[in-house]
Amino acid sequence: MKLDISMDLDGCLCNFYGPYLERFGTPKKDTDITYNVANILKYDKEFWLSLPVINELNWCPKQYTTARIIKKNWIKEYLKINGFPKAPIYQIFGYSLSKASKIRMGGCDLHIDDSLSVFIDLNKKGIPCLLLDSPNNQDWGPIGRIYSLDIDEIEDTYNLFINTLFSNFINLL
């Protein structure tokens, strides 16, 4: 079965947090990041185009779904420069908003994200989401977790998740 996959960007395909911390230091609270992105980085094309790639894809996503509030052309340029497959880009404008409507709009079977809050939100709303392993999501166990963006691992983990725990996900919380 070919999956129609929605793919997150920051923390999955590129390293946002390293360059952010180099520039601004460790935030005192999450709202500091939101403030700096909305008031400074939103206008800094070079910052977004120079984010280091941390994972490559051996498959083509149906869409990219991101909370980036920057110009969509900058995202397209970043993806092209770094050799990522061309696919539609769906943006939500705010980190506190759910990606659910954009993923449903795109007709995706699955979303991949590194954010534990996005992972929980989507699975609670009946949208399968796999959690890409990263230092910022170690509070969650192995359920629904992937360790690479290799399509075979994604398909195997998705099938296991859907056939075992997805329907009872809310009871895991």
Side-chain angles (χ1 to χ4, degrees):
M1 166 182 154
K2 181 189 177 306
L3 292 171
D4 288 329
I5 303 173
S6 165
M7 186 73 231
D8 181 41
L9 299 174
D10 298 322
C12 288
L13 298 182
C14 62
N15 180 357
F16 167 82
Y17 301 104
Y20 176 90
L21 293 174
E22 283 177 26
R23 182 153 176 191
F24 296 101
T26 303
K28 291 182 175 62
K29 51 193 181 294
D30 286 345
T31 54
D32 292 345
I33 297 173
T34 303
Y35 177 85
N36 288 331
V37 169
N39 293 291
I40 299 168
L41 295 179
K42 179 179 179 179
Y43 307 102
D44 187 347
K45 180 179 180 181
E46 182 55 34
F47 175 85
W48 297 101
L49 293 183
S50 64
L51 294 176
V53 172
I54 55 175
N55 288 299
E56 296 179 1
L57 298 177
N58 64 352
W59 50 275
C60 184
K62 182 165 187 188
Q63 71 185 49
Y64 297 99
T65 308
T66 180
R68 287 184 180 185
I69 59 171
I70 63 172
K71 295 176 183 177
K72 191 177 283 189
N73 284 339
W74 294 0
I75 299 170
K76 289 179 182 177
E77 189 173 343
Y78 177 85
L79 293 169
K80 183 177 181 179
I81 288 169
N82 289 289
F84 288 107
K86 188 175 180 181
I89 299 164
Y90 287 71
Q91 292 173 274
I92 59 166
F93 294 96
Y95 293 99
S96 62
L97 301 175
S98 177
K99 292 181 176 180
S101 64
K102 299 294 185 176
I103 293 164
R104 282 191 179 112
M105 187 184 308
C108 294
D109 304 310
L110 168 66
H111 178 70
I112 297 172
D113 214 294
D114 69 307
S115 166
L116 183 55
S117 62
V118 170
F119 171 76
I120 291 170
D121 174 62
L122 293 177
N123 284 306
K124 279 174 55 177
K125 290 179 176 168
I127 298 171
C129 181
L130 297 180
L131 185 65
L132 181 61
D133 188 61
S134 76
N136 67 319
N137 62 30
Q138 296 304 302
D139 292 346
W140 186 260
I143 296 169
R145 183 180 293 274
I146 55 176
Y147 297 91
S148 76
L149 293 178
D150 179 76
I151 194 63
D152 292 331
E153 180 183 351
I154 292 166
E155 289 173 347
D156 289 347
T157 304
Y158 170 83
N159 289 325
L160 179 64
F161 186 50
I162 289 297
N163 293 322
T164 58
L165 297 168
F166 177 69
S167 62
N168 293 311
F169 182 83
I170 206 155
N171 297 326
L172 299 172
L173 303 175

